[in-house]
Amino acid sequence: MTSPNLLQSPDQLTVGLVQMAPVWLDREATLRKVEGFIAEAALSGCQLVVFGEALVPGYPFWVELTGGAKFNDPAQKRMYAHYLSQGVVIERGDLAGVCQLADQHRIAVYLGVMERAPDRGGHSLYCSLVYINERGEVSSVHRKTQPTYEERLVWAAGDGHGLRVHPLGAFQVGGLNCYENWVPLLRTALYAQGSDLHVAVWPGGMHNTPDITRFIALENRSYVVSVSGLLRPEDIPAGTPFREELLATGRSFFGNGGSAVAAPDGTWLLEPVAEQEGLFVVTLDHTHVREERQNFDVAGHYGRPDITHLRVNRARQAIIQFDEDPIH
């Protein structure tokens, strides 16, 4: 049987958007579910598969619903301790299964995780967007530069180290987390590196994606893939702290999706999808990027570095640097 990818033009790229619910705050169970969707995307001919923000082990929906700003509150501290225990430690090999599948199927992966970072002491969480290339290598880990609103109570601020784009077929792909997509200078940092396939990941909410997805497509004359998560009451395992309080709100969804794809002219290839879990597959054609760049290229002939330019610090930030004693 001929692989679907062999039938495509070199300008084409097939992308899978996975709008899924985590097994909330259960890292291992959520990763098993992620791995199942990667295999499904590969069978569907995808060369890139994208998952939502903070998907592994899940977004902190409890904060706004359970008085998360109470200082030194014992219940909030217990919940944070549980959340931290389920964080992803990349150096420990937590994503080894995802990397193996990426290599096996020659499929690239963008995955949103809550990163427990040893280089920052290991007890703070970073909202990180991980890019794993088609050889199964972790190519970048972008820690969200500024958590939004209640996220600041449980997430630490990241840095510019992961502001990178990656070659994938005819495309250069880069990504940002949630409200970072509204920050002009962060977008520009990717545009200036040649980004023409922009990945925007979200925790799940139809209020987020309809405007910004099309706006970025028009601003950069690029494809924009927005991928959201879901969370339903049944996705919260028994025994999870605050489970009863969350169920008592009566919500049918805590996060209701909104995944979408816009073309370089701002038209929809996939209109925002709500309240539905699954894999959504689209095929992109780089020809359309080149056509739209003819009259507007924000980092090219419309860029004027003699007037304005951006300086980006991509150093990974740390609070300590060791100067080892010289060997005598």
Side-chain angles (χ1 to χ4, degrees), residues 14 16 24 45 63 86 89-90 99 116 120 129 135 139 164 167 170 181 183 246 284 312 328:
T14 299
W24 198 55
V63 177
Q86 296 301 310
V89 181
I90 297 171
C99 292
R116 186 174 177 177
R120 295 302 300 270
L129 180 59
R135 297 178 299 280
S139 296
R164 302 172 188 272
N181 291 287
V183 180
L246 292 173
L284 316 180
V312 178
H328 297 289

Side-chain angles (χ1 to χ4, degrees), residues 20-270:
M20 66 165 264
V23 183
W24 198 55
L25 306 194
D26 185 327
R27 179 185 62 248
E28 293 303 322
T30 301
L31 281 170
R32 288 194 295 271
K33 192 171 178 181
V34 165
E35 290 166 7
F37 271 114
I38 292 173
E40 182 181 345
L43 288 173
S44 299
C46 297
Q47 295 137 296
L48 170 66
V49 60
V50 184
F51 297 83
E53 183 191 40
L55 183 69
V56 186
Y59 186 81
F61 287 103
W62 80 86
V63 177
E64 67 170 322
L65 300 173
T66 62
K70 293 178 182 177
F71 181 71
N72 212 31
D73 179 70
Q76 294 294 332
K77 291 167 76 171
R78 283 194 299 273
M79 186 58 155
Y80 180 78
H82 178 67
Y83 197 33
L84 184 62
S85 74
Q86 296 301 310
V88 172
V89 181
I90 297 171
E91 295 83 352
R92 185 172 60 192
D94 288 357
L95 300 182
V98 173
C99 292
Q100 182 179 357
L101 282 171
D103 180 40
Q104 176 185 340
H105 295 290
R106 288 296 188 263
I107 185 172
V109 181
Y110 259 123
L111 176 64
V113 305
M114 293 314 309
E115 183 193 5
R116 186 174 177 177
D119 66 347
R120 295 302 300 270
H123 295 95
S124 290
L125 287 170
Y126 295 83
C127 176
S128 296
L129 180 59
V130 180
Y131 180 74
I132 299 167
N133 68 25
E134 64 273 27
R135 297 178 299 280
E137 301 162 340
V138 175
S139 296
S140 66
V141 180
H142 173 54
R143 295 175 183 168
K144 189 174 186 178
T145 55
Q146 178 58 58
T148 300
Y149 207 60
E150 74 271 13
E151 296 168 358
R152 299 173 198 175
L153 294 169
V154 287
W155 296 352
D159 56 35
H161 182 72
L163 289 172
R164 302 172 188 272
V165 302
H166 306 280
L168 187 61
F171 289 86
Q172 295 286 329
V173 58
L176 295 172
N177 295 286
C178 199
Y179 265 32
E180 288 186 317
N181 291 287
W182 284 106
V183 180
L185 297 184
L186 294 181
R187 297 196 307 268
T188 301
L190 299 182
Y191 298 165
Q193 296 176 70
S195 172
D196 48 26
L197 170 51
H198 183 88
V199 169
V201 298
W202 310 86
M206 277 292 291
H207 61 287
N208 282 320
T209 56
D211 294 327
I212 191 64
T213 303
R214 294 186 64 245
F215 172 77
I216 294 176
L218 288 167
E219 179 181 58
N220 193 39
R221 298 302 200 267
S222 66
Y223 286 98
V224 180
V225 173
S226 282
V227 181
S228 295
L230 292 171
L231 190 69
R232 303 157 297 202
E234 59 265 33
D235 303 312
I236 304 175
T240 303
F242 284 129
R243 181 175 184 269
E244 298 309 315
E245 290 89 336
L246 292 173
L247 297 183
T249 64
R251 297 188 177 196
S252 55
F253 284 88
F254 297 97
N256 68 347
S259 299
V261 180
D265 61 359
T267 58
W268 289 121
L269 290 184
L270 176 69

